[in-house]
Structure formats: C-alpha cells, structure tokens
Amino acid sequence: MKIRVRYFAGLREIVGQDAETLTVPEGTDVAGARALLVARYSRLQPILERSLCAVNREYVPADRVLQEDDELVFIPPLGGGAA
Amino acid sequence: MKIRVRYFAGLREIVGQDAETLTVPEGTDVAGARALLVARYSRLQPILERSLCAVNREYVPADRVLQEDDELVFIPPLGGGAA
Amino acid sequence: MEPVIQITREPLNREALVTAVAAPEVGGIVIFEGVVRNHARGKQIRYLEYDAYPEMAEQQIRRIVEEARQRWGAERVAVAHRLGRIEIGEASVIIVVATPHRAEAFEACRYIIDTLKTTVPIWKKEVSLDGEAWVEG
Amino acid sequence: MEPVIQITREPLNREALVTAVAAPEVGGIVIFEGVVRNHARGKQIRYLEYDAYPEMAEQQIRRIVEEARQRWGAERVAVAHRLGRIEIGEASVIIVVATPHRAEAFEACRYIIDTLKTTVPIWKKEVSLDGEAWVEG
C-alpha cells in the first residue's frame, strides 16, 4: 500500500524534498516506516530518534499501524521554548 | 500656618473646587485637618472616613503632623479593581 | 531605559508605546490594555470618566515599575493612563513590558497592572443609564 | 466568536488582530508578541527562519485555543504565527486574548503561548555568525 510522507525543517533539508510516496507492506506501523526511511537516508537516523510521529495531523505512538493514503510526518523537537 | 488641600474625584464634586488653602494651628496633624474639613463640609464625612491620606504625594498615617506649605490630599477608595 | 510614563487626556497610542520599548535584545513583549466595557456591577455603562492626582500617580507608577525592574529584570517598560471621558471600547490604560524572555514580561506586566489598580490615585466614575457614581474597589 | 488563526509568511499585523477581538463586553486585552532577538544560546543571531507543518499547526492551535476557552472563558482570541525569514526586532508570533476581566486574559494568553511553543509543529532555524542550526527546545 502507499503512504504519503512529508518533511519539514531539518528533515526536509536532509532529505532534499518536501514529500514523497512510500510503498510499504500492509500492517506496517510507524516504527516500520521509520526504519525504512533510515535505511534510505542514513543521515536521518539521529533526528528521527528524537522525533515524535504524526499520522493525519495527530500525534501517534510508534506502534500505530498505517493505512493506505495515510499522511506520515516525523516531528523533530520543537525549539521555541526559550523566547 | 498654611497648608494646601487638593480635591479629586468624588471629593472635588462635593467641595466644588480643586484646591484651597487652609490655615491651621502649628502641630495640627492629618486627623485634625480632616476634622476641620468635616466641620466645613459635612457631606465629606462618610467619604473621608474611607479615604487614605497623602502629604506631599506620599501616603501617610492620620497622626502625621503637618508642616507649613504641605500638600494634603485625601485619597478616596480606588475603584479600578475589577477591570 | 528610563520607563515611559504617561498620564494624559488624549487617546492612548499602543503603537508608539510598543515602539518605545523595542530593542534588539527583546524576545518577548506583553501588552495589557484596559478597555471600557459596556456593563459593570449589573449596570449598563454609557462611558467612564477618569480622574487622577496626577503628580502622585506618576510618582507611584514610577515606583511600581522600579519594583518590577528589580524583581523580574524588566528594563523596558511603558505605562500610559488616560483621564477624562472614555467611551466603550476605548483603552483607559496600556502597559507594555519587553524582556529577553517571555516569562518575565508576563510576570512584570501583571504585577504592574494589579498594583497600579490598588495603589495609584486614579479614580473612575461610571456613567450608566441609572446615573453616575465614583467606583470604590 | 470563532478564533482568528493565521499561519502566514507575511509580517504580522498587531492592529488588525486586536481589532478582530474587540467587542463591547471586553474589559481587558492581553497581547503577547514573540520577537526575534539578537542573541540566543551565546550566539549572535543574524535572523531566524521559521518552518511549520501548517495544517497540523493550525489544528493544534485551534485545540489549544478551545482549551483556553473552556478553562478561562476566553471567547475572543487571535493567534498569528509568521513563517520564513524573520529579522531581528520583527514578531514571529502574536497572541491576543480579550475577556471581560483581566485575570482570565493573562492566564489564557500565557497558557496559549506556553503550550504552542511545546506542542505545535513550528520550528526555527537560527542563522548566526557561526552558521545555522534548527533549534531543539
């Protein structure tokens, strides 16, 4: 099945694009998609380990099972704390 | 000796003027000046009982002894609390 | 900077007050604006009339701002209070505090308005459909 | 009223946001403005660059504003966040809360900015004399 992955901030700079479509097996969860991305872009590994996950604009745990056409976004740490 | 009394807000409306000069005996304190004003303007009594006193722009207790040329102001309750 | 303190019969100018506290080291600005509202204490308000003992009010505000500077390091503060007749929707008081980090701006701004309301000799008269009265807090 | 929520690459307009929340029953307005400052974490900043996941950011902000409405009765709120390059002294975020009484406006405004900073997917990159880096809170 196909899912949509969008990249923002530091992730976009590493990946070099805003978004892509991934083909993953049925039953793949967020952690599985993350492993697939790390395999494809090894420089993503440290930042993905610190990131939260969102599916269809909601924060979700890493064991959330993906569905066809889901929008998956990894949310690197937010840095606004100090201002 | 002479002191200056200034009136604001509700006091000004009762007295009908912004300020006046009072002649009081040496050694008169704020409470004494207040009694004198109540004798002169009986309608001041209830509001003066609820008012703080300021001499030369500082809050003072009622037993503060007045000096020549002091500026005496009674400060009715402040009503800004709610907004 | 020296604090900006205005006690004036003119409409207050929020833009000018914010500009006055701006600086390259500022990261957070908190603005409080007290506005005349259409009802109070169950009465329908037509307008408010503010009076002050202006010299003492200014001196007291200066002292409150200095306390905020010492407690929260709030170095850039503007306080403006309007006197006279003020219509519904118009501002009677504006306080602007600019600090490097936002927590101090929130704390200092709130301290200044809360203390101003209880200690600074400024009074308001409510003019309602029922008549008019000086408000006692 | 429906809250005003803007996520935009244009300079923020404080006046328009305050006007949007005005109403005859409003007695207190608290405005928070986050401004780009010239130094952070020991570095001299040249400018900041903000990025967001805009659809999710807007949805999260809407949820935070709804929480503020329930907790403090803050019915009149505007939140605007700017994206892209923002220069020193310019606002990256403005939050305006208008309530009948000031305490609720202070509480709700602070809750909204504190929660926004920690949960809404908006990121900043600091561009300093030493280089550039996405900030992790």
Side-chain angles (χ1 to χ4, degrees), chain D residues 114-133:
Chain D
D114 287 351
T115 311
L116 185 157
K117 290 269 189 179
T118 53
T119 69
V120 174
I122 298 175
W123 299 271
K124 71 178 174 194
K125 185 163 69 175
E126 287 174 354
V127 181
S128 71
L129 299 178
D130 306 334
E132 56 179 58

Side-chain angles (χ1 to χ4, degrees), chain D residues 45-61:
Chain D
I45 302 300
R46 289 176 53 219
Y47 62 89
L48 297 185
E49 185 96 31
Y50 278 85
D51 191 19
Y53 178 6
E55 300 90 344
M56 183 172 170
E58 181 176 333
Q59 178 175 304
Q60 293 281 119
I61 290 170

Side-chain angles (χ1 to χ4, degrees), chain D residues 9-59:
Chain D
R9 306 186 80 83
E10 302 301 314
L12 302 181
N13 185 335
R14 182 195 311 126
E15 289 301 296
L17 296 167
V18 174
T19 301
V21 301
E25 71 271 23
V26 165
I29 302 175
V30 173
I31 305 164
F32 171 74
E33 207 159 315
V35 177
V36 175
R37 64 176 192 279
N38 62 0
H39 63 279
R41 277 162 284 277
K43 286 182 292 188
Q44 193 162 345
I45 302 300
R46 289 176 53 219
Y47 62 89
L48 297 185
E49 185 96 31
Y50 278 85
D51 191 19
Y53 178 6
E55 300 90 344
M56 183 172 170
E58 181 176 333
Q59 178 175 304

Side-chain angles (χ1 to χ4, degrees), chain A:
Chain A
M1 65 179 182
K2 291 179 192 312
I3 61 166
R4 188 78 180 154
V5 186
R6 292 173 70 186
Y7 301 109
F8 298 99
L11 276 73
R12 173 159 55 195
E13 292 184 350
I14 290 169
V15 170
Q17 57 187 347
D18 288 348
E20 65 185 314
T21 299
L22 279 193
T23 303
V24 298
E26 294 284 336
T28 299
D29 62 8
V30 166
R34 180 169 55 196
L36 200 152
L37 290 174
V38 168
R40 186 177 296 190
Y41 310 101
S42 60
R43 289 174 57 220
L44 281 185
Q45 179 157 18
I47 192 167
L48 283 186
E49 282 172 356
R50 296 194 301 278
S51 295
L52 299 175
C53 325
V55 171
N56 301 335
R57 305 171 193 176
E58 295 286 352
Y59 288 110
V60 297
D63 63 0
R64 158 70 173 262
V65 174
L66 295 165
Q67 309 290 331
E68 177 86 23
D69 291 329
D70 273 352
E71 179 172 283
L72 173 63
V73 175
F74 291 97
I75 311 278
L78 304 171

Side-chain angles (χ1 to χ4, degrees), chain C residues 65-123:
Chain C
V65 170
E66 173 59 21
E67 287 162 4
R69 194 185 67 75
Q70 291 182 12
R71 290 176 63 173
W72 294 285
E75 301 282 352
R76 310 188 67 81
V77 175
V79 178
H81 207 300
R82 187 171 166 192
L83 303 181
R85 174 174 172 156
I86 311 185
E87 308 295 334
I88 289 167
E90 290 187 320
S92 57
V93 57
I94 298 180
I95 296 169
V96 186
V97 180
T99 54
H101 301 283
R102 71 178 180 279
E104 292 76 11
F106 271 106
E107 297 292 332
C109 187
R110 185 148 189 194
Y111 175 79
I112 292 169
I113 183 61
D114 286 351
T115 313
L116 186 156
K117 290 269 190 178
T118 53
T119 69
V120 173
I122 299 177
W123 299 272

Side-chain angles (χ1 to χ4, degrees), chain B residues 9 12-13 50 58-59 71, chain C residues 51 53 63 119 125 136:
Chain B
R12 174 161 51 195
E13 292 185 349
R50 296 193 302 277
E58 296 285 352
Y59 288 110
E71 178 172 285
Chain C
D51 191 20
Y53 178 6
R63 197 171 294 170
T119 69
K125 185 163 66 174
E136 302 196 353

Side-chain angles (χ1 to χ4, degrees), chain C residues 11-26:
Chain C
L12 303 182
N13 184 335
R14 181 195 311 125
E15 289 303 296
L17 297 168
V18 174
T19 301
V21 303
E25 70 271 21
V26 166

